């Protein structure tokens, strides 16, 4: 594991985007797992800039969604699928369909989950997985208590996550209580994982993830076992690290 601590959120985005670009230059056909959330926005903008400047071509990549709310229309600005398309994929010249979505409106959610796992396996696995971390230590929507051997499935969101994400919705009671997420074992199977975090609110979660014994109470702590993990933090998020 490599932990990189920089001064500011914009430096986190720069360092992370530069690691992604380095990785894609040597792995141009990589399958990429995409996280949503405010922390990721800077990376996506820098990747768009790199594309516009001719420094990267995403034409040979396939993309996999990390998680999605249940019951949010895919055209809603709060749908993760919509965010990934409108904030990134639509700006980097990739064809429709290169994003393997998690459909939170599927009639048969169990089949949706198993088909998603099958799609990852058929593509040869996820090469690069981008991640953020929740204040409660979640990755994807794997909330505290999630089994380390979990795969893609429907989960119930904890109140802390609902509250953290409520600013994207009209009010807290409009935040979906359920989501569909890659499981912890699904995430662990990615060949390279890049997790970023910024801000003091994430400091306790980062300390538990990196310094406490592995525990389902901090789902991100499973990553201590990942053979190829880079964690990029700003000073505020690293506040509680020794
Ligand atoms: C989003 C996701 C979540 C977020 C986490 C941090 O796809 O999987 O785990 O990465 O909640 O969100 P932000 O960056 O908004 O603080």
């Amino acid at each position: 594991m490599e932990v990189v601590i920089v001064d500011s959120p914009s430096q986190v985005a720069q360092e992370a985007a530069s690691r992604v670009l380095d990785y894609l230059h040597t792995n141009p056909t990589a399958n990429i797992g995409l996280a949503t959330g405010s922390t990721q926005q800077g990376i996506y903008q820098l990747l768009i800039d790199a594309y516009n400047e001719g420094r990267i071509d995403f034409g040979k990549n396939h993309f996999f969604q990390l998680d999605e709310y249940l019951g949010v229309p895919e055209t809603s600005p709060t749908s993760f699928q919509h965010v990934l398309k409108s904030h990134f994929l639509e700006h980097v010249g990739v064809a429709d369909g290169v994003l393997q979505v998690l459909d939170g409106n599927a009639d048969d959610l169990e089949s949706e989950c198993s088909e998603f796992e099958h799609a990852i396996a058929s593509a040869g696995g996820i090469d690069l997985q981008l991640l953020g971390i929740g204040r409660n230590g979640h990755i994807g929507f794997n909330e505290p208590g999630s089994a380390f051997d979990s795969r893609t499935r429907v989960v119930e969101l904890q109140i802390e996550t609902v509250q953290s994400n409520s600013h994207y919705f009209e009010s807290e009671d409009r935040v979906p209580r359920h989501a569909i997420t890659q499981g912890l074992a699904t995430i662990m199977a990615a060949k390279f994982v890049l997790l970023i975090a910024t801000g003091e609110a994430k400091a306790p979660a980062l300390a538990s993830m990196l310094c406490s014994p592995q525990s389902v109470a901090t789902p991100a702590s499973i990553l201590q076992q990942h053979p190829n993990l880079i964690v990029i933090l700003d000073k505020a998020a690293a506040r509680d690290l020794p």
Side-chain angles (χ1 to χ4, degrees):
M1 176 197 318
E2 182 184 352
V3 180
V4 180
I5 301 171
V6 294
D7 285 335
S8 65
S10 66
Q11 286 175 327
V12 169
Q14 275 162 18
E15 182 67 26
S18 130
R19 299 296 184 117
V20 171
L21 292 172
D22 286 351
Y23 183 81
L24 294 181
H25 285 142
T26 43
N27 301 275
T29 61
N31 296 323
I32 307 173
L34 298 177
T36 322
S38 50
T39 320
Q40 308 296 326
Q41 293 304 318
I43 302 189
Y44 292 140
Q45 187 53 55
L46 289 168
L47 294 179
I48 292 169
D49 293 346
Y51 170 78
N52 287 333
E53 290 159 14
R55 291 186 282 121
I56 191 73
D57 173 12
F58 292 99
K60 292 183 178 152
N61 302 112
H62 279 88
F63 300 89
F64 292 82
Q65 200 173 347
L66 174 61
D67 49 7
E68 181 61 276
Y69 292 118
L70 287 202
V72 171
E74 67 179 61
T75 50
S76 161
T78 54
S79 139
F80 285 179
Q81 178 185 158
H82 178 82
V83 171
L84 292 174
K85 288 179 175 169
S86 63
H87 291 215
F88 178 45
L89 295 172
E90 286 173 2
H91 305 280
V92 293
V94 298
D96 249 9
V98 295
L99 174 66
Q100 181 75 40
V101 298
L102 281 166
D103 181 359
N105 294 298
D107 290 335
D108 182 344
L109 288 165
E110 211 169 301
S111 298
E112 178 67 14
C113 295
S114 54
E115 280 164 21
F116 187 82
E117 287 280 342
H118 184 69
I120 294 175
S122 304
I126 291 179
D127 298 297
L128 164 63
Q129 177 65 55
L130 302 179
L131 288 181
I133 182 171
R135 286 190 236 182
N136 63 1
H138 73 209
I139 49 175
F141 272 138
N142 293 282
E143 300 282 42
S146 295
F148 279 4
D149 63 358
S150 55
R151 309 294 310 199
T152 303
R153 70 204 186 287
V154 171
V155 292
E156 185 173 0
L157 300 181
Q158 295 191 353
I159 189 64
E160 195 172 3
T161 299
V162 169
Q163 287 166 349
S164 293
N165 291 359
S166 61
H167 60 278
Y168 292 112
F169 293 82
E170 280 165 33
S171 60
E172 191 178 310
D173 58 9
R174 304 298 288 268
V175 184
R177 267 33 182 189
H178 292 86
I180 187 167
T181 184
Q182 287 189 32
L184 292 174
T186 317
I187 292 169
M188 282 296 282
K191 296 177 187 80
F192 170 37
V193 174
L194 197 162
L195 183 147
I196 61 170
T198 60
E200 281 196 343
K202 302 283 176 71
L206 264 302
S208 296
M209 170 195 164
L210 296 170
C211 307
S212 297
Q214 283 189 308
S215 159
V216 295
T218 304
S221 67
I222 194 176
L223 294 169
Q224 290 174 17
Q225 287 173 343
H226 197 282
N228 192 8
L229 168 70
I230 296 181
V231 180
I232 304 176
L233 310 173
D234 70 355
K235 276 185 183 161
R239 183 196 65 193
D240 295 348
L241 300 184

